[in-house]
């Protein structure tokens, strides 16, 4: 009884401290972030001072908590990987709704592994590879692999440099933000390698599209997530590289966000 009341008292104090820290950082805005943080407080293995410091440094709530829901899973994450985004969930949902069966999947730029792992759960007989140039991202992705029975093969690769097989489905959410937008404060806690690309954000998409047909089986599909203003460039690239049945789809905000092409 006493123990319970002590625990309650400590929690109340902690919550008060967190609320104060939050208020001095965000004022009365972004209350949903605060609620999410408080809700997850019992699961965070950090002391209260560390959490308060992180709030003061404007660290995203997802990184403070250290995990984040994505589609049908929950992904551990840190400052070495992109925080999985709802627009990527829309792409996953589209794939799952339109691709009935698939024997082999390659996720390029896997980050936390969220795309590869979610697809491995659905296409549970499929061979799934997830690659990233960042060794630290691969470490995070491997930590998330426990939630699928159809284990993903995660390894380092600079796009296709270490890929030897062909796949029926290649999917990628590559960096696509132009360096000119690098000043956006909301992005400063995520890795540069996950966000920015040269040539107005197009250089990685170009690299992938130019080589993808060498790693796709005939009839295979290429899905690429991109910026809302990059549709025309992506479609042109697909067309110039021998792809057919090119289509672009919108995210939940109604922005043209990912494109599909078939070989
Ligand atoms: C936008 S993040 C996507 C992460 C994850 N797939 C997701 O959707 O949340 C892009 C990822 O591409 C990786 N990346 C950047 N350049 C790369 C390259 N040359 N080869 C392989 N991966 C790369 C980054 O490390 C990062 O994990």
């Amino acid at each position: 009884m006493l123990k319970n009341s002590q625990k309650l008292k400590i929690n109340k104090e902690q919550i008060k401290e967190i609320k104060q820290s939050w208020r001095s950082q965000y004022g009365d805005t972004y209350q949903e972030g605060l609620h999410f943080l408080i809700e997850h407080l019992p699961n965070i293995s950090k002391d209260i001072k560390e959490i308060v410091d992180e709030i003061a440094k404007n660290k995203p709530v997802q990184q403070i908590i250290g995990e984040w829901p994505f589609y049908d899973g929950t992904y551990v994450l840190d400052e070495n990987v992109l925080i999985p985004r709802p627009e990527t969930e829309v792409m996953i949902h589209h794939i799952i709704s339109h691709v009935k069966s698939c024997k082999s999947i390659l996720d390029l730029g896997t980050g936390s592994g969220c795309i590869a792992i979610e697809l491995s759960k659905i296409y549970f007989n499929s061979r799934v590879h997830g690659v990233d140039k960042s060794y630290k991202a691969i470490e995070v992705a491997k930590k998330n692999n426990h939630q699928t029975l159809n284990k993903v093969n995660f390894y380092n690769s600079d796009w296709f440099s270490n890929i030897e097989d062909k796949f029926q489905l290649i999917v990628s959410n590559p960096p696509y933000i132009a360096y000119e937008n690098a000043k956006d404060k909301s992005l400063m806690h995520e890795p540069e390698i996950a966000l920015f690309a040269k040539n107005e954000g197009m250089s990685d998409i170009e690299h992938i599209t130019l080589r993808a047909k060498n790693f796709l089986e005939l009839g295979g599909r290429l899905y690429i997530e991109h910026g809302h203003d990059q549709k025309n460039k992506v479609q042109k690239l697909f067309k110039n590289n021998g792809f057919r049945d090119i289509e672009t789809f919108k995210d939940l905000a109604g922005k043209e966000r990912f494109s599909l092409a078939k070989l």
Side-chain angles (χ1 to χ4, degrees):
M1 186 69 184
L2 186 65
K3 269 192 179 168
N4 272 347
S5 62
Q6 274 175 340
K7 198 174 169 199
L8 196 67
K9 193 169 166 233
I10 292 163
N11 281 343
K12 273 186 178 169
E13 282 170 6
Q14 290 175 339
I15 288 168
K16 203 172 153 195
E17 209 176 327
I18 283 174
K19 280 183 174 171
Q20 273 168 357
S21 168
W22 194 270
R23 196 161 297 120
S24 52
Q25 191 60 22
Y26 298 103
D28 285 329
T29 66
Y30 194 29
Q31 289 297 299
E32 66 277 18
L34 175 62
H35 292 148
F36 211 85
L37 179 58
I38 289 171
E39 198 182 310
H40 283 78
L41 221 44
N43 308 327
I44 306 177
S45 52
K46 294 173 182 170
D47 62 37
I48 201 76
K49 186 182 172 309
E50 208 178 336
I51 296 173
V52 167
D53 283 352
E54 290 183 341
I55 295 170
K57 284 182 192 147
N58 225 355
K59 202 167 182 176
V61 69
Q62 297 92 331
Q63 287 180 0
I64 299 177
I65 294 166
E67 61 177 33
W68 196 242
F70 178 84
Y71 208 71
D72 198 28
T74 298
Y75 286 80
V76 298
L77 52 88
D78 61 22
E79 63 287 350
N80 297 302
V81 296
L82 189 88
I83 298 163
R85 302 288 207 272
E87 44 271 35
T88 311
E89 291 179 308
V90 176
M91 180 165 70
I92 298 275
H93 189 69
H94 185 278
I95 295 172
I96 288 169
S97 318
H98 290 84
V99 180
K100 284 214 167 65
S101 73
C102 182
K103 291 269 177 285
S104 50
I105 301 167
L106 171 62
D107 173 22
L108 290 169
T110 198
S112 62
C114 58
I115 296 177
I117 291 172
E118 289 308 304
L119 292 178
S120 78
K121 293 177 187 173
I122 300 295
Y123 304 103
F124 51 85
N125 288 321
S126 179
R127 168 174 57 90
V128 187
H129 289 206
V131 300
D132 207 290
K133 189 178 179 181
S134 158
Y135 286 93
K136 288 184 172 172
I138 291 295
E139 274 175 36
V140 174
K142 283 182 177 171
K143 282 186 198 161
N144 285 316
N145 215 359
H146 67 89
Q147 55 189 302
T148 176
L149 292 174
N150 178 19
K151 297 293 173 226
V152 178
N153 186 7
F154 287 116
Y155 53 96
N156 166 262
S157 181
D158 182 352
W159 297 132
F160 293 100
S161 67
N162 290 331
I163 311 290
E164 291 172 351
D165 309 324
K166 288 200 173 196
F167 296 84
Q168 289 185 345
L169 173 65
I170 296 180
V171 54
S172 184
N173 173 16
Y176 55 72
I177 302 173
Y179 274 98
E180 298 81 77
N181 298 331
K183 289 173 207 107
D184 187 337
K185 262 181 116 184
S186 68
L187 301 173
M188 64 184 274
H189 289 279
E190 291 174 280
E192 212 179 293
I193 187 177
L195 297 168
F196 303 109
K198 291 179 191 153
N199 191 16
E200 298 176 321
M202 286 298 296
S203 63
D204 289 304
I205 294 178
E206 281 166 5
H207 184 101
I208 292 167
T209 307
L210 254 62
R211 287 158 186 82
K213 57 178 172 290
N214 303 324
F215 299 90
L216 265 179
E217 287 183 12
L218 201 60
R221 294 166 186 241
L222 171 65
Y223 275 90
I224 294 193
E225 184 176 321
H226 51 74
H228 64 90
D229 51 356
Q230 291 170 334
K231 170 192 160 182
N232 291 344
K233 288 179 183 172
V234 173
Q235 288 212 353
K236 197 171 164 196
L237 265 174
F238 282 179
K239 208 180 276 174
N240 292 345
N241 282 283
F243 288 97
R244 63 182 171 87
D245 297 346
I246 299 162
E247 285 181 88
T248 297
F249 303 94
K250 291 180 177 166
D251 62 19
L252 293 173
K255 295 185 173 173
E256 287 173 319
R257 181 62 64 187
F258 63 96
S259 292
L260 156 68
K262 292 179 196 158
L263 194 63

